[in-house]
Amino acid sequence: MSTPYWKTALILLTCFIGIWFALPNLFSKNVLETLPSWFPKTQVNLGLDLQGGSHLLLEADLKNVVHEYLTGLLDSTRTVLRKDKIGYAHLRTDLAQHAIVFELREALEGEAHSRLFKILQNIDPDFTVQIEGIHVTLSLSEFAVAKREKSAISQSIEIVRRRIDETGTKEPTIQQQGSNRILIQLPGIDNPEHVKNLLGQTAKLSFRLLDDSVSLEEALAGQVPTGSEVLESEEIASHKVHYVVRKAILVSGETLVDAQPSFDDKGRASVSFKFDAIGAKKFADATRANVGKRFAIILDNKVISAPVISEPITGGHGSITGNFSVQEASDFALLLRAGALPAPLHVLEERTVGPDLGADSISAGQHATIFSIILIAIFMVVAYAAVGFIADIAMVFNLILLIAALSQLGATLTLPGIAGIALTLGIAVDANVLINERIKEEMRLGKRLLVAIDSGYKRAMSTIIDSNLTTLIGSLLLYIFGTGPIRGFAVTLSIGILISMFTAVSLTRLILLSWVQWRHPKTLWI
C-alpha cells in the first residue's frame, strides 16, 4: 500500500517548486538585484495598508458625457435641417430631458411631416423623435444614456491607468467603485499632487479655425456669431487674451498616435505630435483649404496658440509651442499620448498611509501568523503525537506554497489578506484532524495499521471536500462582490484552500505512509 512513484515525484516536485518561488521573499529588493538572472525575483506585492502610499477616490462627471454627446449632435441636426431647407428656430440642448429641442417655422403635415420624422430619426438611431405642432424633441432613451455613461467610465479607467503608468508608478490599483467612481491606490506614493494634476485635466485637444467675421470687441460685447465662441488663451502669462473660435473641429486629438516633449528653434519647450493616417489626411486637407488663415490649437477649451497657416502641412506631424515650462511640456505630451478623458474627474476622497504604519501592520501580521503556527503546532503534537507533527510539516508547506502562489500570480497582499493566511492554516490542520479521527476509528475496529490509514483518508475525503467547497464558494462571492482589502482577503483564502487540499491530503499521506513503512510501528498514538 505504497504511494506510486509518479505521484511521489509529483508531490515532491510541487514542494520544491513552492520553496524555489517563495525564496525571493526572504531577501530585500537590493539583494535580489545582485543575484544571478536565473534566480527568481518576484516577491509578494504589498497592498497600500502594508506598504504605505496614497488613496484617491475620484468621481466622473457623467452629466458632461451626455452634454457633449448632445452638443455634437446639435451640429449634425443643424446641418441636416439646413441641407433639407427646413425652417427652424431656437435649436438647443435640454439636459433635463437628455434631448435636442427646436421649433419649426411652421407646422408640417402629411408627407412633409413623415419626411421630417425620417430625416431626424436618421441623425442618431438612439433618438426618439416627437413632433407636436411646431415643437420638435429628439430625446435619448434611458438605456442609451446608461450605455454611454457605462462606456465613459470604462474608458476613463483605461485612460487613468495609462496616465499613471506613464508616471512610472509601480503596481497601482485602479478599479471602478459604484456606477461613477474610480478608486486609485498608489503604493509607495506619499505625495499624489503630480498624479492629481494629471488626472484633473481631460486633455481634449482640437484644431479649429478663428472666426474673422466679427471683431473681438464685438464678440466680447455679446455679438458672437452662431457656431462660434469666445475662448481664453494661455499664450501670455501676464494677462488674458481672447479669441473668437469656430466650434467646428477641423481635427481632434483622438487621431494622435504619438506626442513627445521637444524644443523649438528658439529653444522654447514645445510638444511634437504625430497623427495616424486618417488624422494626417484630415490635417493636410484642412490646412490646404485654409492657407493664410489662423487656426487655434485648443486644449480643454483654452487656446494654447493660434498660428497662421502659411502652407499645407502634409507630413502628418507638427509641434505645439506655447507658454510651457519643460515639466509642463512633458506632462502635456504624456496627456496626449494617454488620450482624453471622456468626462472630467473630481477628487472626492484623498488619504495617505505612511510607510511606518504599513511597517507596523506587517510586523503585527507576522507576529500573529507566527504565534498561530506555533500554537497550532503544539496542539497537534499534544493531541496526535507523531501524526500531529506530520500535520505540522504539511502546515508549514502550506504557508510556503501560498507565498509562492501569491508571488507568481501577482496578487496583492493586504492586512485582511494576512488574516486570510492565518485562517487558511487553521483550515489546513482541520482537515488533518478529520483524517486522524477517522484513522483512530478504523484502528478501534481492529484493522491493520496501513489499512486503517488508507480507510481513514478515504472516509474523511468527502467531508473535507464539502467543508472546503463551501468555504471556497463564500470566498469567491467575497471576491465578486467585495472591493479593495476584502478582495485581497478572498484571494488569499481561495488560494490557501486549494493548497490546503494538496498538503492536508496528499503530502501528509505520503509522509505518514513513508514513516510507517520505514519505522514499522505496531500502532499510532493518536
Side-chain angles (χ1 to χ4, degrees):
M1 195 170 294
S2 60
T3 305
Y5 290 125
W6 67 268
K7 190 179 285 186
T8 302
L10 188 61
I11 294 170
L12 294 178
L13 180 63
T14 303
C15 293
F16 173 77
I17 291 174
I19 294 172
W20 181 249
F21 285 114
L23 272 179
N25 294 284
L26 298 178
F27 303 98
S28 67
K29 290 186 182 298
N30 292 334
V31 173
L32 280 178
E33 290 176 358
T34 63
L35 296 177
S37 58
W38 48 263
F39 192 84
K41 295 183 172 59
T42 307
Q43 295 179 310
V44 175
N45 296 329
L46 298 182
L48 197 68
D49 50 357
L50 297 180
Q51 187 179 166
S54 295
H55 164 109
L56 295 173
L57 182 62
L58 308 178
E59 184 176 61
D61 184 4
L62 296 180
K63 289 182 180 176
N64 192 65
V65 174
V66 179
H67 172 67
E68 289 206 353
Y69 185 71
L70 289 174
T71 302
L73 291 176
L74 201 65
D75 290 334
S76 301
T77 306
R78 182 183 293 112
T79 302
V80 166
L81 293 174
R82 286 177 179 174
K83 180 181 176 184
D84 289 278
K85 297 180 180 178
I86 298 171
Y88 67 95
H90 307 303
L91 178 64
R92 61 195 183 280
T93 59
D94 185 338
L95 276 182
Q97 297 186 64
H98 297 145
I100 292 175
V101 297
F102 64 91
E103 285 90 45
L104 297 168
R105 296 291 184 194
E106 58 181 356
L108 301 178
E109 296 180 353
E111 187 177 342
H113 182 280
S114 301
R115 177 171 165 270
L116 175 62
F117 187 91
K118 188 175 180 181
I119 289 171
L120 296 176
Q121 188 67 65
N122 288 336
I123 294 175
D124 190 294
D126 289 328
F127 268 152
T128 299
V129 180
Q130 288 182 306
I131 305 175
E132 297 176 354
I134 64 170
H135 301 285
V136 180
T137 303
L138 311 176
S139 56
L140 289 172
S141 66
E142 291 297 325
F143 176 76
V145 172
K147 184 175 71 174
R148 277 167 180 78
E149 290 180 345
K150 185 178 179 182
S151 172
I153 198 72
S154 300
Q155 190 181 352
S156 296
I157 290 173
E158 182 57 33
I159 291 169
V160 165
R161 188 181 305 281
R162 281 189 222 155
R163 290 185 182 182
I164 291 177
D165 287 348
E166 289 267 3
T167 65
T169 304
K170 294 182 178 178
E171 298 154 7
T173 299
I174 303 167
Q175 57 190 214
Q176 184 176 347
Q177 193 168 78
S179 61
N180 63 341
R181 295 180 179 178
I182 301 173
L183 174 68
I184 302 173
Q185 292 186 336
L186 307 170
I189 302 293
D190 55 3
N191 183 9
E193 286 303 318
H194 186 218
V195 173
K196 281 169 58 184
N197 290 336
L198 291 176
L199 300 181
Q201 302 179 58
T202 51
K204 290 191 175 176
L205 179 72
S206 62
F207 298 83
R208 303 192 230 163
L209 286 176
L210 297 189
D211 190 342
D212 298 325
S213 65
V214 63
S215 67
L216 179 60
E217 290 73 19
E218 291 173 330
L220 289 175
Q223 300 177 19
V224 182
T226 303
S228 296
E229 60 184 335
V230 178
L231 296 180
E232 286 184 6
S233 171
E234 293 186 339
E235 282 180 293
I236 302 174
S238 57
H239 64 280
K240 290 183 179 178
V241 178
H242 293 83
Y243 290 99
V244 185
V245 183
R246 293 182 179 174
K247 291 181 180 178
I249 296 174
L250 296 177
V251 186
S252 71
E254 294 174 358
T255 53
L256 287 177
V257 292
D258 191 23
Q260 296 293 337
S262 59
F263 294 92
D264 64 5
D265 297 337
K266 297 179 181 177
R268 295 177 298 180
S270 62
V271 175
S272 301
F273 61 87
K274 182 180 179 183
F275 287 112
D276 61 12
I278 297 174
K281 184 176 184 308
K282 282 186 178 179
F283 198 59
D285 293 344
T287 52
R288 187 179 294 112
N290 295 286
V291 172
K293 297 180 181 178
R294 297 181 71 187
F295 72 105
I297 303 172
I298 300 168
L299 181 72
D300 291 344
N301 283 328
K302 288 191 177 180
V303 177
I304 297 174
S305 64
V308 176
I309 304 173
S310 56
E311 58 183 351
I313 303 173
T314 57
H317 48 76
S319 65
I320 301 172
T321 303
N323 185 31
F324 300 135
S325 66
V326 174
Q327 181 62 49
E328 287 171 341
S330 178
D331 288 348
F332 184 22
L334 183 156
L335 293 173
L336 294 182
R337 287 196 302 272
L341 286 167
L345 297 175
H346 307 293
V347 178
L348 285 185
E349 182 183 331
E350 177 183 348
R351 284 188 280 122
T352 300
V353 180
D356 293 339
L357 183 59
D360 291 342
S361 300
I362 293 175
S363 177
Q366 285 176 337
H367 288 150
T369 305
I370 291 171
F371 286 144
S372 63
I373 289 176
I374 291 174
L375 291 176
I376 292 171
I378 293 173
F379 170 80
M380 291 299 290
V381 171
V382 170
Y384 299 107
V387 181
F389 182 71
I390 291 172
D392 292 341
I393 295 173
M395 180 177 62
V396 173
F397 270 98
N398 185 296
L399 181 61
I400 293 172
L401 292 173
L402 181 56
I403 292 173
L406 291 174
S407 302
Q408 295 306 307
L409 293 175
T412 300
L413 181 64
T414 60
L415 194 56
I418 293 178
I421 291 176
L423 182 59
T424 297
L425 297 178
I427 291 174
V429 173
D430 182 56
N432 286 113
V433 170
L434 282 172
I435 293 169
N436 294 343
E437 292 300 321
R438 293 289 182 272
I439 294 175
K440 191 187 294 184
E441 291 173 2
E442 296 297 321
M443 290 173 61
R444 285 174 184 160
L445 295 175
K447 294 184 179 178
R448 290 189 299 116
L449 183 56
L450 287 177
V451 176
I453 292 173
D454 185 57
S455 299
Y457 273 91
K458 287 180 179 176
R459 287 185 56 198
M461 185 59 70
S462 60
T463 307
I464 293 172
I465 291 175
D466 288 347
S467 61
N468 283 311
L469 189 61
T470 51
T471 310
L472 189 61
I473 291 172
S475 61
L476 288 177
L477 292 175
L478 280 178
Y479 182 81
I480 293 171
F481 296 107
T483 58
I486 301 299
R487 279 192 160 190
F489 173 79
V491 168
T492 308
L493 185 59
S494 300
I495 296 173
I497 289 171
L498 296 176
I499 293 174
S500 73
M501 292 285 288
F502 165 76
T503 56
V505 178
S506 300
L507 183 59
T508 57
R509 181 189 176 99
L510 174 66
I511 298 174
L512 182 57
L513 289 177
S514 300
W515 178 74
V516 169
Q517 290 170 349
W518 174 47
R519 301 292 297 179
H520 303 291
K522 299 294 182 186
T523 185
L524 291 178
W525 296 98
I526 56 177

